[in-house]
Amino acid sequence: MRQLRAAVTAILAGPDQAAVVLLGIGISLVAFYTAGVGVFDETVSRVGTLAVAMALGLLAFPLPGRVGRAADILLLLLGMAAFWRYFEIGAALEIGLYDFTVSDLWLGGFAMLLLLELTRRIFGWPLVIVCALALVYALYGHHLPWIFRHAGFPYYETLRTVWYSFDGVFGGPVAVVTSLILIFVVFGVLLEGIGAGPVLLKLAFSVTARLRGGPAHAAIVASALFGTMSGSVAGNVVGTGVFTMPMIKQRGFPAKFAGAVESAASSGGQFTPPVMGAVAFIMADVTGIPYLTICVAALVPALFYYASLFASVAVSAARLGIQPIPDAERQSMTRQDWVMSLTFVLPLLVIVVLLIAGRSPAAAGFWAALSAVALGLLLNPDLRRRPQRLLAALAQAGRAGATILIAVGAVGMIIGVMNMTGLGIRFANVILALSSDSLFLALLLTMAGCLVLGMGMPTVPAYLIIVLAMGPAIEGLGVPTLVAHLFVVYFGVLSSITPPVALAAFAAAPICGASPMATAVESVKVAVIGFIIPFVFVYNPSLTLMVDFAWPEFLWACLRLALAIWVLASGLGGQDRARLDWPSRLVRTATGILMLMPGEIIETAAFVAALAMLAVDWRRGLAGSPPGLAALAARLGWRQA
């Protein structure tokens, strides 16, 4: 009895970290096998991988205390029983000739509650609330008025769609994660494990050392590079922000500005090719558009987004009087650093070359991950001395992949309910009716919906939820599918810096030492031009390089957008070669917006006006007089009232 009590006490004392490591490595190895060989069985791949992910989630994110530990063990046993039952009746479910037993209904319902509980532990309440409302809507929506009313679905029918089928929890998004996204998650974590991370940071600081923004500009470059691999905005903020934000503050920037730059830059990585925070793979599955096409289409808008962040930082640095980092303090790349940079550059080239050659994204990710490991062992002596770092990276990658699977599985509930009830189509019809066939008004409504629906959610589930509700609306006004989905992705990602629930800003605030809400507000200010870019590529689809492309339209749109970015940044920031007065700021801001409005006359007039304004102010700056309308008025003998 004493031995039994000791064994029980050992079990209740804490989660078995060895099991977490083994399960994480197992998920990573499954990702390698699936990407390199193929999916061995759809049911095993979808249901089995999510089962392992949920088991890992229970062990890695336990309830506190001994009572909580005992509850977790009970949840684990019941959850595994629910998955085992799915495997038992899977064949009958596929042919549709199966009547649920009472135990099936109980186990299926419990498994969905367990999935929601794990979602709460990992991601908080926002996603859980949306999923729970979706389930309640499926069961009781026939009591609701207006567009929300549907015929009604009993519990067993809801369960059949949401849990016991490939239309809900185990639907297409989970299949994409298991067959495609997991290998890129493993790839990203392996790059850190082999030592590419510090080199990328050093490279970013070296490239931007001569700019006024210094560490702030370096944070933008580093976060863009890391963000292309990371599936988590908050993870990107923490991963690079612990190095960049203290250095940004040391250069004289306010704490909230340091957090804002890191938050905005980390968010942008989610729509920067080639990986795009894994959302590109989900988009390819949803739209049927090839992954490589999506990457190419996202490239130019992403570059302009980061150009807008560079402009915002440059204006703020000039306004605060911050000078470039002195030569003695600049970091320089050593020969070993340049050699180690190949561990990042060459695997990315492998991805691009294989995709251009027509190989699948999964195969590209597989060979990129293998090449990263090989290069790490070849070029990093420390990795050869401690190869166990690779196992730690595989375990960490499996854990990250498990969290994505849990989030996407939870979103599968919403997808199942939306497909059952047809709410997405009705919602789109309402937007079209409210916009009165005005594309601009429809885009504004869609933007607002994206920012609200995406709050508090990771990129992949945010995109899935938003595109179901908002995507059909702007497609209905003639916007090409690719452009419409990119528009949704942008604002789904930007919801991570938008108050009141700004995940990126809230992750950055403790590190930079500023108020979370102040950091979120400052993030919007830093990235405000980024909120305009999606509207620009809707009206100028040539910017995507894939839709209605023509060189004259593309070059004209690039020229206007590049000039508008600086005019807006300087106008909103109140700084160019010298401080700008308020009339000048208002004129610059208005000119920048007009430059991006549809209509050749308006575009051309605003473009010429912006060039003339910058030329005049530049000449005044060279002559030593402050730029601005007030200075011009004083020269002409006018007096302000």
Side-chain angles (χ1 to χ4, degrees), residues 7 15 26 98 108 133 166 233 269 368 376 379 407 457 496 498 506 541 584-585 590 597 607 632:
Y98 182 78
L133 288 175
F166 286 170
V233 174
L379 303 176
M457 296 189 194
S496 65
T498 306
F506 277 63
S584 295
R585 296 180 64 177
M597 295 289 286
F607 184 80
L632 178 60

Side-chain angles (χ1 to χ4, degrees), residues 383-467:
L383 184 63
R384 292 196 296 272
R385 287 191 294 269
R386 294 190 299 158
Q388 63 269 25
R389 286 170 50 181
L390 291 175
L391 289 178
L394 289 175
Q396 181 61 30
R399 178 168 171 160
T403 61
I404 295 175
L405 276 166
I406 289 169
V408 173
V411 172
M413 299 182 188
I414 302 170
I415 295 174
V417 171
M418 296 280 273
N419 290 335
M420 290 168 60
T421 61
L423 179 62
I425 300 299
R426 290 195 295 253
F427 196 74
N429 290 335
V430 169
I431 292 178
L432 292 174
L434 290 174
S435 62
S436 301
D437 294 328
S438 168
L439 177 59
F440 182 70
L441 186 54
L443 292 175
L444 283 178
L445 292 172
T446 302
M447 178 191 74
C450 291
L451 293 176
V452 172
L453 292 174
M455 285 182 181
M457 296 189 194
T459 304
V460 171
Y463 163 72
L464 286 170
I465 293 173
I466 295 164
V467 81

Side-chain angles (χ1 to χ4, degrees), residues 13-28:
D16 189 345
Q17 293 303 313
V20 173
V21 171
L22 289 175
L23 289 174
I25 293 174
I27 290 176
S28 294

Side-chain angles (χ1 to χ4, degrees), residues 254-546:
K256 64 180 181 180
F257 185 82
V261 170
E262 184 61 50
S263 301
S266 296
S267 299
Q270 303 297 292
F271 43 68
T272 303
V275 180
M276 295 175 64
V279 74
F281 308 119
I282 294 287
M283 191 191 303
D285 180 71
V286 171
T287 62
I289 298 171
Y291 162 77
L292 189 58
T293 300
I294 293 172
C295 285
V296 173
L299 178 60
V300 173
L303 293 176
F304 275 115
Y305 174 81
Y306 279 107
S308 73
L309 298 186
F310 258 75
S312 295
V313 168
V315 168
S316 296
R319 188 177 65 248
L320 295 171
I322 296 173
Q323 299 299 318
I325 300 174
D327 291 340
E329 300 178 20
R330 292 176 186 169
Q331 298 189 30
S332 59
M333 295 281 287
T334 65
R335 182 178 180 276
Q336 179 61 22
D337 291 333
W338 285 113
V339 169
M340 279 298 298
S341 68
L342 296 176
T343 60
F344 173 78
V345 174
L346 292 182
L348 284 183
L349 285 177
V350 168
I351 293 175
V352 174
V353 169
L354 288 178
L355 289 175
I356 293 175
R359 300 293 298 274
S360 69
F366 173 78
W367 288 110
L370 286 184
S371 65
V373 173
L375 287 166
L377 290 171
L378 178 65
L379 303 176
N380 189 350
D382 184 61
L383 184 63
R384 292 196 296 272
R385 287 191 294 269
R386 294 190 299 158
Q388 63 269 25
R389 286 170 50 181
L390 291 175
L391 289 178
L394 289 175
Q396 181 61 30
R399 178 168 171 160
T403 61
I404 295 175
L405 276 166
I406 289 169
V408 173
V411 172
M413 299 182 188
I414 302 170
I415 295 174
V417 171
M418 296 280 273
N419 290 335
M420 290 168 60
T421 61
L423 179 62
I425 300 299
R426 290 195 295 253
F427 196 74
N429 290 335
V430 169
I431 292 178
L432 292 174
L434 290 174
S435 62
S436 301
D437 294 328
S438 168
L439 177 59
F440 182 70
L441 186 54
L443 292 175
L444 283 178
L445 292 172
T446 302
M447 178 191 74
C450 291
L451 293 176
V452 172
L453 292 174
M455 285 182 181
M457 296 189 194
T459 304
V460 171
Y463 163 72
L464 286 170
I465 293 173
I466 295 164
V467 81
L468 285 171
M470 315 299 293
I474 50 178
E475 286 186 57
L477 287 172
V479 178
T481 299
L482 176 58
V483 177
H485 280 250
L486 282 177
F487 184 90
V488 168
V489 166
Y490 260 75
F491 285 110
V493 169
L494 291 174
S495 67
S496 65
I497 61 171
T498 306
V501 186
L503 280 182
F506 277 63
I511 302 173
C512 69
S515 160
M517 193 56 64
T519 304
V521 173
E522 192 70 18
S523 299
V524 174
K525 292 180 181 178
V526 169
V528 65
I529 303 172
F531 285 79
I532 301 174
I533 290 175
F535 289 88
V536 177
F537 65 67
V538 168
Y539 285 101
N540 301 271
S542 280
L543 285 173
T544 64
L545 302 175
M546 288 287 133

Side-chain angles (χ1 to χ4, degrees), residues 101 113 126 164 166 172 226 299 331 404 596:
T101 64
L113 290 176
Y164 287 113
F166 286 170
F226 275 96
L299 178 60
Q331 298 189 30
I404 295 175
L596 302 175

